[in-house]
Amino acid sequence: MTAIDPPTDEELTRRAQAGETAALGLLLARHQAPMRAVALSLLGYGPDAEDAVQDAALTALRRIGDVRDPAAVGAWLRAIVRNSSRMRLRADRDTPARLESLDRLHTCDDGLSYPPYSTSTQLMHPERVVDQHAMRDWIWDALEQLPEPLRLVLMLRHFSGITSYGEIARACEIPVGTVRSRLSQARAKLAQVLLTTATHVHDDAARLTEDSRQEAEVTLEGARRGHQPREILELWPAETELVGVLSTPGERCHPIPAMRRNREKGVTQHLRHVVASRTVTIWEMDVTNPAGSTDPCPPTLAWLMLRRNRRVQTLRVVFPEL
C-alpha cells in the first residue's frame, strides 16, 4: 500500500482560506513548534513567550485570508510571532501594547506584505476582519464554549476597542494579574475547542452581530425619546441589574432609570461598534454632551452585557479612556 502524502502548506492554506476549519487547525498545529521557537528566542522562557504564540494564533485565525503566498505561510506565521514578541519587549509590563499594533503591520522581516485594513487613521476592528471570511462562525462557536469570565476577557482583548490589560481590569473589576491569567487560560482553551469543533455546525456569527446592531440602534433611539418599545423592554426584565461605576452601592439598580437620567442631562450616545455572542454583548459608543455641560460624560464608553436566553442579566458601563 502506498502511503498518502500529507497535504502541503500551500494546500492547507488554500483550504483554510476557503473556510475549511480543520485545515487551519492542522496548519497551526504543524507550525506551533517553530512559532514557539521564535517567541522563546526573543522573550526567553516564561508567560510572555506563551502569550505571544497564542496572540499570533488568534491573529492568524482573523487574517488567514491575507496570505498572498500560501506556500510561505510558515514564514507568515513566524513573522506575526516575531512582531508580537517585539511589541512585548517594547511595552511596559504594567501596560502591555494594544493588539491594534499587530493590525497596523504592513510589512515584516520575512518580506511578506500585509495590506492595510483602512486608509483612515482609525483601524478596522478585528471583528470586521473576521466577517470577511468563513472562519468567523467557527471562532464564535468556539468562544461560546469557554466559561463566561474567560470569554468576556478574550472578547474584550481581541474583538473590541478595550484591549489593554489595565482597561480590561477596570471593565471587569478584577486585578491586572487576573486579566493576564484569564487570558492565558482562555487562549489555551480556545485553541483546544477550535481543534475539536472543526466539523460542528455553527451559529451564523454575522447574523448575531447584525441582530445585536439593530437592537442597539432601537435601544438608543428609545433612550433618546424616553420610551422603549415593548420588544426592547422585554429584553430588560425586572431582575436585570446595573453594576459597576454607575450603580449605587448597597442598592439593586435597573439600567432603564439610568438611561432616563442620561436623557434628562442631554447626553446622547452613538453606536460605533458591536461585538456579540449568544451570552456576551459589547456595544461601544461615542458620546455627545450638551453645550456648556459642567459635568460632561467621557467621549467614549462601552456597554458590557451578560445575557441568558437573550435577556440581559447584567449591564456594566465602562469608560475605556479613564
Side-chain angles (χ1 to χ4, degrees):
M1 181 181 293
T2 303
I4 300 176
D5 291 334
T8 65
D9 279 359
E10 181 175 1
E11 291 170 339
L12 287 175
T13 303
R14 294 192 186 283
R15 284 159 53 184
Q17 289 175 329
E20 186 178 326
T21 55
L24 182 54
L26 181 57
L27 199 60
L28 290 172
R30 175 181 291 180
H31 289 278
Q32 185 178 39
M35 291 167 69
R36 188 179 304 277
V38 171
L40 291 174
S41 69
L42 291 170
L43 299 170
Y45 287 93
D48 279 346
E50 185 68 23
D51 286 352
V53 173
Q54 292 170 342
D55 276 348
L58 287 172
T59 299
L61 290 172
R62 297 196 304 268
R63 301 184 56 179
I64 190 66
D66 292 348
V67 178
R68 295 179 178 178
D69 183 0
V73 70
W76 181 79
L77 290 168
R78 293 193 299 275
I80 296 175
V81 176
R82 185 174 297 110
N83 184 66
S84 178
S85 299
R86 287 174 176 169
M87 285 168 53
R88 291 173 185 278
L89 288 173
R90 289 194 300 265
D92 184 284
R93 288 189 176 272
D94 291 331
T95 54
R98 297 169 68 91
L99 279 190
E100 287 91 336
S101 297
L102 281 174
D103 294 330
R104 285 184 208 277
L105 183 65
H106 297 170
T107 59
C108 63
D109 293 348
D110 292 270
L112 302 173
S113 177
Y114 297 79
Y117 291 144
S118 173
T119 56
S120 68
T121 55
Q122 185 166 356
L123 294 168
M124 181 180 288
H125 276 279
E127 177 267 338
R128 296 175 196 168
V129 179
V130 171
D131 274 349
Q132 291 177 0
H133 57 78
M135 294 296 165
R136 65 173 183 265
D137 296 342
W138 181 40
I139 296 170
W140 286 107
D141 190 67
L143 279 169
E144 291 290 356
Q145 298 191 42
L146 298 180
E148 193 171 86
L150 304 188
R151 183 165 63 250
L152 178 57
V153 296
L154 196 72
M155 288 175 68
L156 288 170
R157 173 73 167 163
H158 290 277
F159 297 97
S160 82
I162 304 171
T163 58
S164 78
Y165 287 12
E167 289 174 336
I168 296 172
R170 289 190 294 274
C172 299
E173 294 186 340
I174 56 177
V176 170
T178 303
V179 171
R180 187 186 188 100
S181 173
R182 287 184 183 178
L183 280 171
S184 180
Q185 294 177 58
R187 286 182 293 224
K189 287 181 180 294
L190 183 64
Q192 295 171 3
V193 171
L194 287 172
L195 291 176
T196 59
T197 61
T199 59
H200 290 184
V201 176
H202 313 296
D203 280 346
D204 185 342
R207 178 186 55 78
L208 281 172
T209 299
E210 181 55 32
D211 286 351
S212 184
R213 186 181 303 279
Q214 292 180 15
E215 179 195 329
E217 295 287 6
V218 174
T219 301
L220 290 177
E221 179 59 27
R224 283 189 282 269
R225 294 183 177 183
H227 176 72
Q228 295 288 357
R230 184 178 65 180
E231 62 269 23
I232 295 298
L233 288 175
E234 290 176 352
L235 301 178
W236 299 84
E239 61 269 23
T240 302
E241 186 173 7
L242 178 66
V243 299
V245 296
L246 294 186
S247 63
T248 302
E251 295 183 15
R252 185 179 182 87
C253 303
H254 195 277
I256 296 297
M259 295 181 196
R260 294 196 187 104
R261 289 194 294 271
N262 266 344
R263 177 176 179 271
E264 291 167 0
K265 292 171 60 176
V267 175
T268 56
Q269 300 178 43
H270 313 275
L271 187 65
R272 183 177 62 183
H273 181 55
V274 171
V275 185
S277 73
R278 288 191 297 269
T279 57
V280 177
T281 304
I282 304 169
W283 295 343
E284 297 178 55
M285 310 285 189
D286 291 320
V287 177
T288 300
N289 290 286
S293 175
T294 57
D295 183 25
C297 183
T300 62
L301 57 80
W303 297 25
L304 274 56
M305 289 165 278
L306 302 183
R307 296 175 180 260
R308 185 177 298 124
N309 298 325
R310 293 191 66 218
R311 293 186 170 190
V312 179
Q313 301 298 299
T314 62
L315 167 65
R316 183 186 305 275
V317 178
V318 299
F319 303 94
E321 296 187 5
L322 291 184

